[in-house]
Amino acid sequence: MPVRDVRRALWHLRTGGVGQLRTHLRRTRTTVRTPALDGELRDDAGRLTFEPWPLPQRAPRRPLRVAVILDDFSLLALGHEWEQVVVTPMDWRRRLEPGAVDLLFVESAWHGNHDAWQYHLTGSSAPRPPLVELVAWCRERGVPTVFWNKEDPVHYADFLDTARLFDHVLTTDVDRVPAYRRDLGHDRVGVLPFAAQQSVHNPVRPARGHQARDIAFAGMYFAHRYPERRAQMDLLLGAADTVPTSGTGLEIFSRYLGGDERYQFPAPLDRRVVGSLPYDRMLSAYRAYKVFLNVNSVVTSPSMCARRIFEITASGTPVVSAPSPAIEHFFTPEMVAQVATPEQARLTLRALVRSPELRDRTVHLAQRRIWQEHTYTHRVGQVLAQAGLDSPLRAPSVSALVATNRPGQLAHVLASVAGQVGVDVELVLLAHGFEPDVADLRARAAESGLAGVEVLTAPTAVPLGECLNTLARAAGGDVVAKMDDDDRYGAHYLADQVHALDYSGGDVVGKQAHFMYLGSRDVTVLRSPEREHRFTDFVAGPTIVARRELVLDHPFPAVGRGEDTGFLRSVVASGASVYSADRFNFIQVRNGDGTGHQHTWQANELEILANADVKYYGENLSHVMV
């Protein structure tokens, strides 16, 4: 065990005794390992670097076999969506003939498939015979072929002859569509913008050092090209260079550090250049800074903007950009800030650097937009639709499981579940110890827009854990969500949790970091803030969300108290993972006399206050329900 880990273990032993040490060790064993980013790691040249971000090993989302020619970024992003056959000019026939492929997908790659296709797609001799023969082979066998020019509009002409080979052509620039239709002589043309790969670009936080540094920019400086981009860099980076911080300030990662002078950052920005990072280490850098900067090589397109905007935001860090109509199309100003003057830039950056709350809220709103519309899961759906292939992915349906022994809470339960947006939800309700008016309940549910309602009953003597198992067996959803009858759930609560299941790859998601309202004191606290966006061994019981099959395989213990903890321990012991998502859109409510006697879970308010952060007085729902 490393010395640092031994010291941490000893600290837990001294602070909380054997019980706290056991909890610490259990969490260490069950936590997905992410790198620590809080040090000053240097490469062999003495330049700032980070540990590589671990890449997940997950099965593709669609059962498709696709021959591809892609750059390294797209190979990583799309490899989580379908099974990729990475062909070369020398081996494509041998790779493809043994088994069928569903699609040929080729992008405007300068160095496709790890340099194997360099000069084959563009240049004086392009398209070269191996590519022509590959496309013809696919056409003879009825395999659709799709070409994606992600270099539009700048390199439209460079890849036009290659585009002519394919059945379908996609572009990152919607303004190029009329030109493609004219030059290709057909209308099989569509728009495919960049996106984020949620399995890679997600808010899972490092072991340490999340947003420990201030402002970063990654890219290259063009001294001889793209004057609009250069002007944006001078504005944005110049402003960032003057933002007062108590930490690292502006740090630049130069893509061509030490090479051609035309690509080097000029004074005074050159003193801010700290290194050059390969992509796996850049994924860590995305999570190490409070703010990332973006400039645009294309400044007029309504659909073409840098992929880094999606990737960095999805990874949990806000982006500040020079203006772009594409950014306005994809995000609101509350999601991605655009600045047009040095003063706007300085004030925006200063606000984000100094305010964690502003950063987290900004990012959460932008991430929700990405999870809803701008992942490569969505983009692959567009590709398949363009090619006439039917491989739809259905969003999982959700069953909200609620067991209540309080008839007076039924209206609140209906409002909480019916108010959920962005998800197909049913309510599975168990009346514990009383007989509800089922007809009236269904009528009220229908009035509130909740079509699916299943009502069960159980005597008081049946333990709560067994009630939950009964609910899970009766549920019709792909995913089940345990909800309590008196807690506050925001409208986006369930949709956010379902997205967390997808991007984290966790078997159970919930909220260990969460707000709690203490009614007798009229105060709202934040519990376990350090456990946000981390793999863990515990989440609050009213926030447990999991695939229905998992809950059936690991039933709740048949007890009246501690059933949530028992379920989570069983899940962790089986080797399954538990992910603690964001803190928003949920408030646990304690309206007792100071001892919590009105609730199944007993907790002394003084103990809660001693182990939580007081955030504000009153419930202040607008702060939490983002």
Side-chain angles (χ1 to χ4, degrees), residues 311-502:
E311 295 180 356
I312 295 168
T313 302
S315 298
T317 298
V319 172
V320 175
S321 178
S324 159
I327 297 174
E328 292 180 6
H329 174 72
F330 293 124
F331 299 102
T332 69
E334 292 76 27
M335 299 172 185
V336 175
Q338 298 185 72
V339 294
T341 68
E343 183 68 5
Q344 280 184 336
R346 281 193 293 269
L347 294 176
T348 300
L349 290 170
R350 187 171 183 178
L352 287 166
V353 166
R354 70 180 295 164
S355 176
E357 198 69 34
L358 178 61
R359 293 198 300 271
D360 289 351
R361 189 182 185 94
T362 298
V363 163
H364 190 76
L365 289 171
Q367 285 174 338
R368 183 182 292 140
R369 176 68 59 84
I370 290 172
W371 311 145
Q372 290 173 339
E373 301 178 20
H374 303 305
T375 69
Y376 280 105
T377 304
H378 298 106
R379 299 295 184 258
V380 163
Q382 294 173 253
V383 171
L384 299 178
Q386 178 73 34
L389 294 176
D390 183 22
S391 183
L393 279 185
R394 181 180 61 83
S397 57
V398 181
S399 295
L401 311 183
V402 182
T404 180
N405 59 4
R406 293 179 287 188
Q409 290 299 117
L410 292 179
H412 176 72
V413 169
L414 285 175
S416 296
V417 178
Q420 297 300 307
V421 298
V423 65
D424 175 17
V425 61
E426 69 165 352
L427 170 62
V428 188
L429 176 75
L430 187 143
H432 196 191
F434 68 97
E435 293 289 335
D437 186 333
V438 176
D440 176 67
L441 196 60
R442 292 186 186 278
R444 290 157 60 190
E447 289 175 6
S448 64
L450 185 62
V453 178
E454 183 73 22
V455 182
L456 308 171
T457 61
T460 304
V462 175
L464 178 57
E466 189 51 46
C467 291
L468 294 171
N469 295 330
T470 300
L471 288 168
R473 288 191 293 268
D478 307 303
V479 170
V480 295
K482 181 179 180 293
M483 298 175 68
D484 276 8
D485 64 357
D486 58 347
D487 293 329
R488 307 280 191 262
Y489 296 89
H492 295 278
Y493 167 78
L494 281 178
D496 284 354
Q497 294 281 70
V498 171
H499 290 314
L501 273 174
D502 183 24

Side-chain angles (χ1 to χ4, degrees), residues 236-253:
L236 197 56
L237 274 68
D241 191 28
T242 65
V243 172
T245 69
S246 58
T248 57
L250 171 65
E251 294 181 322
I252 297 173
F253 296 94

Side-chain angles (χ1 to χ4, degrees), residues 102-151:
D102 299 289
L103 177 72
L104 171 65
F105 185 74
V106 178
E107 72 174 10
S108 51
W110 305 97
H111 303 273
N113 293 358
H114 314 300
D115 289 336
W117 293 88
Q118 188 175 12
Y119 307 122
H120 282 258
L121 280 70
T122 185
S124 59
S125 61
R128 290 187 177 180
L131 179 64
V132 175
E133 293 166 7
L134 169 61
V135 177
W137 184 93
C138 290
R139 182 169 291 117
E140 290 170 2
R141 288 157 179 77
V143 176
T145 61
V146 178
F147 180 73
W148 179 35
N149 193 344
K150 61 180 176 49
E151 303 293 339

Side-chain angles (χ1 to χ4, degrees), residues 492-538:
H492 295 278
Y493 167 78
L494 281 178
D496 284 354
Q497 294 281 70
V498 171
H499 290 314
L501 273 174
D502 183 24
Y503 68 67
S504 72
D507 298 292
V508 176
V509 301
K511 297 178 186 289
Q512 190 169 4
H514 66 279
F515 292 96
M516 176 178 283
Y517 175 68
L518 304 177
S520 66
R521 297 171 183 263
D522 193 30
V523 64
T524 299
V525 301
L526 178 60
R527 309 186 76 202
S528 305
E530 74 284 354
R531 305 305 299 171
E532 190 170 24
H533 284 305
R534 298 183 186 278
F535 286 92
T536 182
D537 66 337
F538 179 81

Side-chain angles (χ1 to χ4, degrees), residues 21-31 537 569 572:
L21 174 62
R22 286 174 177 165
T23 298
H24 166 71
L25 293 176
R26 185 175 67 250
R27 287 179 178 170
T28 300
R29 288 193 301 270
T30 59
T31 297
D537 66 337
R569 285 179 177 170
V572 169

